[in-house]
């Protein structure tokens, strides 16, 4: 299960926070150890990746893709079809448990790597990416 191993820092009403991914349920979009920029109160749409409280264990934060609205909640899935721990197991997640939309991810610098300007620029180019909505995810769900 890809979860936000470290809780987002929401502080005193700050609109943005940081979360860390643990697990493989969002591979290939997110990898274990990725850091996420979370936008609290951002507009949520199908296809967005979001940080939410697990509906059965609310002290656990998870990262999933929002697929579609169902009543007062969201149907959520991981991007890795072989991983468990999404709405196929626990059903739709109540809207109040969705904390925020993931705007970007970055992969930490590998410990021990050279820190030359070229290496840092290469890391910036490859490691920092926006997390975009996958609008086809909703269509794939309906096609099953």
């Amino acid at each position: 299960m890809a979860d936000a191993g470290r809780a987002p820092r929401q502080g005193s009403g700050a609109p943005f926070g940081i979360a860390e991914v643990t697990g493989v349920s969002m591979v290939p979009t997110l990898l274990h150890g990725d850091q996420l920029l979370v936008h609290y109160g951002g507009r949520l749409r199908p296809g967005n990746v979001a940080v939410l409280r697990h509906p059965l264990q609310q002290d656990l934060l998870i990262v999933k893709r929002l697929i579609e609205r169902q009543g007062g909640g969201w149907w959520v899935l991981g991007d890795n079809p072989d991983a468990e721990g999404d709405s196929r197991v626990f059903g739709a997640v109540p809207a109040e448990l969705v904390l925020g939309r993931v705007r970007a991810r970055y992969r930490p610098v590998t410990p021990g790597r050279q820190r030359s300007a070229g290496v840092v620029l290469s890391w910036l180019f490859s490691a920092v990416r926006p997390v975009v909505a996958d609008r086809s995810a909703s269509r794939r769900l309906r096609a099953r």
Side-chain angles (χ1 to χ4, degrees):
M1 170 183 328
D3 69 299
R6 190 175 64 197
R9 292 184 209 135
Q10 198 166 359
S12 57
F16 291 95
I18 303 293
E20 181 177 347
V21 176
T22 59
V24 296
S25 78
M26 288 300 292
V27 169
T29 306
L30 303 173
L31 302 179
H32 178 81
D34 282 353
Q35 304 291 310
L36 307 176
L37 176 65
V38 182
H39 182 196
Y40 300 102
R43 186 173 189 184
L44 301 173
R45 295 182 179 172
N48 290 149
V49 175
V51 173
L52 49 132
R53 293 193 182 283
H54 193 289
L56 304 176
Q57 187 180 350
Q58 293 184 16
D59 59 336
L60 176 65
L61 300 177
I62 59 176
V63 179
K64 301 293 176 199
R65 189 170 301 277
L66 304 175
I67 301 301
E68 67 182 4
R69 295 282 297 197
Q70 289 191 351
W74 283 97
W75 189 264
V76 299
L77 294 175
D79 285 359
N80 181 349
D82 296 326
E84 295 182 358
D86 54 28
S87 287
R88 295 173 293 179
V89 173
F90 49 71
V93 176
E96 62 270 11
L97 297 182
V98 179
L99 301 178
R101 177 179 169 187
V102 175
R103 294 292 187 162
R105 65 100 177 127
Y106 72 92
R107 299 199 169 119
V109 176
T110 306
R113 277 198 71 184
Q114 179 185 4
R115 300 286 198 272
S116 69
V119 169
V120 171
L121 286 174
S122 173
W123 171 81
L124 282 172
F125 181 73
S126 67
V128 179
R129 299 268 189 216
V131 176
V132 296
D134 179 2
R135 304 220 190 282
S136 66
S138 181
R139 287 191 291 276
R140 284 195 313 266
L141 177 67
R142 289 189 195 108
R144 290 183 188 172

